Amino acid sequence: MSARQQLISWFDAIATDRPNDVAVVNDICSTTFSELSNRVADHRKRLRNLLGSNATVVGHAIANGPEAVAIEMAAWAEGHASLAFPRQATLREYKEMLSVVTPELLLVDTKSSVLAELGASVFSVISLDGSGETVMRRDRRSLPVADTLQLQFTSGSTGRPKAVCLEAAAVLASLRSSQDWYDSFPKAPVFSVLPQNHAMGRASVFETLWSGRTVVCSDKKTPGENHALMRTTGCRTLLCNPTYARLGLAFGVLTDVSPIERIVIGSASVDATLVSQLQSSVPHLCIDVRYGVSEAFGALSVKSISHEGPPHQTGDVGRPLPGVEFRAQDDSHGPISARSPFTAVAQVEESGVVLIRDPSGYIATGDTGSITHNGNLVLSGRSNLTISHRGHRIDPIEIETVVKETGSFIEAIVIGVPDTLSGEKIAIAVVPHEDDVISADQIKDHCKRQLSAHKVPHWVIEMPEIPNKASGKPDRIATRDRVMEALGLQN
């Protein structure tokens, strides 16, 4: 039996064993395992009628919840690869993603104006509310890498999207590895606020389902908005990013009377201050830290933080999971590589399919750090320029490109400014042409039209010049110092 078949059979066994147990809940509806299985069967029939037996890419831009899960599972069962698009992407962002991978069809909640503008000539758009048209292309597209189960968009130092090809064997190995850890969870629903187009968010949903538990999803971004849903569904475990955990404390949602018994923080490094605040504010709370990358399915390491143990060190993401190996250079800021059966072999770039494993099977994580004497990985930063804002990894070059397109600036440099709640806020230093007059609000408005909301700069700092390195390239560290000074912040 292939890895793909084993995944489907595993879920079918769970659905048969507990058909009336709730599987997936979101802000709109609740679905049992039996109902989810029926939805998968309906989507399989739809895909079979539209695509036949040729394996291809099936995309979706669906709200977190039962429908998104059913579409992905149906695509897997029919031999296709699933690809989740951000629901709030701009036309520019869609075009950039589609220049890398174009699905045979895209399923959406409602046919948005952005997708309508792309047109059926790009791919077939099918709206689940019946507002879309079905226009199948004749030139069928095949999978970029054989037996790809999921494609996951990521960015890099280029600021251009790439699509990581996760094979069925990698997903199966990760789901098996996660089960012992999930067995330690309270026997109650798990609340996930990580978006399903996010690498860790997608993995968390399927890990929870394959453990036979209920997963509760939400597109709402703050704990205050989700508090009622957590309580009514009886959630005891919360999967979130550090920003959400900080907001949970600020809003008073994570308190001594909170129903949450366990919090799992992933998608970004967790600082010691946040852990200390959680431990003092919610003494009964079990705290786990997960570390993963876009080039892998699920976590590569997990750290359970004990109240009785030594204080948490900022950036410590624990020891590698069984089958995972980390490799680091001797210094504390060296690049980190990882080798694991959960990682992808290749990714799709504009130039084509590119292998991402080195001859020894390691992939570059894009993070820097060191490995302690007891085997824990401690992250110190990013080896590229990525800014971490509210759980999103944002490439500065993408924003700089958009701002420079106005033609009003000699130079534009984006930096991350440390922020207690969001991780980092975005600031852009600009050098305008002598005769150009463009306000900060105009720059922000231009970015809002071209980029997702979380990529819009918080501050625009005008400078007479950008400091350069000896090589002539912009000196981002010196620019950051000047921006911090201009904002009246300590560096």
Side-chain angles (χ1 to χ4, degrees), residues 182-197:
Y182 266 80
D183 284 344
S184 66
F185 281 25
K187 301 293 184 182
V190 175
F191 198 98
S192 175
V193 296
L194 302 173
Q196 282 179 244
N197 66 287

Side-chain angles (χ1 to χ4, degrees), residues 262-263 265 275 278-279 285-289 303-305:
R262 187 170 194 157
I263 185 169
I265 308 174
V275 171
L278 287 169
Q279 288 180 327
L285 193 65
C286 297
I287 305 170
D288 288 340
V289 174
K303 178 188 179 184
S304 295
I305 300 173

Side-chain angles (χ1 to χ4, degrees), residues 272-451:
T273 301
L274 173 59
V275 171
S276 177
Q277 290 172 337
L278 287 169
Q279 288 180 327
S280 60
S281 300
V282 201
H284 70 270
L285 193 65
C286 297
I287 305 170
D288 288 340
V289 174
R290 295 185 89 191
Y291 170 67
V293 294
S294 297
E295 294 80 9
F297 187 90
L300 298 176
S301 70
V302 176
K303 178 188 179 184
S304 295
I305 300 173
S306 169
H307 286 264
E308 291 75 31
H312 173 69
Q313 178 183 354
T314 297
D316 189 342
V317 293
R319 302 185 67 179
L321 292 170
V324 178
E325 299 173 73
F326 293 127
R327 185 174 65 186
Q329 291 186 357
D330 293 336
D331 61 274
S332 61
H333 298 287
I336 302 295
S337 301
R339 180 167 62 186
S340 162
F342 320 149
T343 59
V345 175
Q347 66 186 19
V348 186
E349 303 178 7
E350 286 179 303
S351 59
V353 177
V354 177
L355 298 178
I356 59 174
R357 289 184 181 178
D358 69 15
S360 300
Y362 283 87
I363 63 163
T365 66
D367 294 307
T368 59
S370 59
I371 299 173
T372 66
H373 67 279
N374 63 353
N376 281 29
L377 174 62
V378 181
L379 303 177
S380 59
R382 293 284 293 171
S383 54
N384 55 31
L385 309 174
T386 306
I387 293 170
S388 178
H389 175 65
R390 294 190 181 278
H392 298 280
R393 286 181 171 179
I394 301 166
D395 197 291
I397 295 174
E398 181 183 8
I399 305 171
E400 292 166 6
T401 301
V402 167
V403 171
K404 289 176 183 177
E405 284 176 353
T406 63
S408 298
F409 302 104
I410 299 170
E411 186 60 274
I413 297 295
V414 169
I415 64 153
V417 176
D419 178 67
T420 304
L421 284 180
S422 63
E424 291 177 289
K425 286 186 174 180
I426 301 167
I428 184 164
V430 295
V431 181
H433 288 292
E434 187 174 344
D435 297 329
D436 270 310
V437 179
I438 181 170
S439 69
D441 286 341
Q442 287 174 310
I443 295 171
K444 291 179 182 180
D445 287 342
H446 175 70
C447 289
K448 287 175 183 176
R449 290 191 294 270
Q450 300 294 325
L451 301 167

Side-chain angles (χ1 to χ4, degrees), residues 147-357:
D147 204 31
T148 300
L149 193 82
Q150 274 193 352
L151 287 155
Q152 175 66 48
F153 279 122
T154 183
S155 163
S157 58
T158 62
R160 301 289 293 176
K162 305 170 183 66
V164 175
C165 303
L166 290 165
E167 298 171 274
V171 175
L172 178 62
S174 177
L175 288 176
R176 283 175 171 166
S177 174
S178 70
Q179 293 311 298
D180 285 344
W181 180 59
Y182 266 80
D183 284 344
S184 66
F185 281 25
K187 301 293 184 182
V190 175
F191 198 98
S192 175
V193 296
L194 302 173
Q196 282 179 244
N197 66 287
H198 183 286
M200 190 68 81
R202 265 173 124 181
S204 297
V205 168
F206 292 109
E207 288 169 345
T208 305
L209 284 175
W210 262 251
S211 73
R213 286 173 172 76
T214 302
V215 60
V216 183
C217 310
S218 177
D219 280 330
K220 295 176 180 175
K221 304 302 181 186
T222 65
E225 293 176 298
N226 291 322
H227 195 206
L229 187 57
M230 287 183 200
R231 285 193 170 278
T232 57
T233 53
C235 291
R236 295 291 179 268
T237 299
L238 171 63
L239 307 179
C240 66
N241 56 43
T243 298
Y244 194 93
R246 292 188 187 96
L247 290 171
L249 288 171
F251 276 99
V253 173
L254 294 175
T255 64
D256 281 339
V257 296
S258 169
I260 300 299
E261 300 173 8
R262 187 170 194 157
I263 185 169
V264 181
I265 308 174
S267 83
S269 178
V270 180
D271 62 86
T273 301
L274 173 59
V275 171
S276 177
Q277 290 172 337
L278 287 169
Q279 288 180 327
S280 60
S281 300
V282 201
H284 70 270
L285 193 65
C286 297
I287 305 170
D288 288 340
V289 174
R290 295 185 89 191
Y291 170 67
V293 294
S294 297
E295 294 80 9
F297 187 90
L300 298 176
S301 70
V302 176
K303 178 188 179 184
S304 295
I305 300 173
S306 169
H307 286 264
E308 291 75 31
H312 173 69
Q313 178 183 354
T314 297
D316 189 342
V317 293
R319 302 185 67 179
L321 292 170
V324 178
E325 299 173 73
F326 293 127
R327 185 174 65 186
Q329 291 186 357
D330 293 336
D331 61 274
S332 61
H333 298 287
I336 302 295
S337 301
R339 180 167 62 186
S340 162
F342 320 149
T343 59
V345 175
Q347 66 186 19
V348 186
E349 303 178 7
E350 286 179 303
S351 59
V353 177
V354 177
L355 298 178
I356 59 174
R357 289 184 181 178

Side-chain angles (χ1 to χ4, degrees), residues 4 47-58 75 78-81 104-105 136-143:
R4 187 183 293 265
L47 296 179
R48 203 175 303 128
N49 290 338
L50 293 172
L51 302 175
S53 59
N54 295 329
T56 186
V57 179
V58 175
E78 289 300 308
H80 305 303
E104 188 70 31
L105 62 90
M136 299 310 301
R137 293 174 55 96
R138 293 180 180 177
D139 52 327
R140 291 294 172 82
R141 305 177 178 95
S142 58
L143 293 180

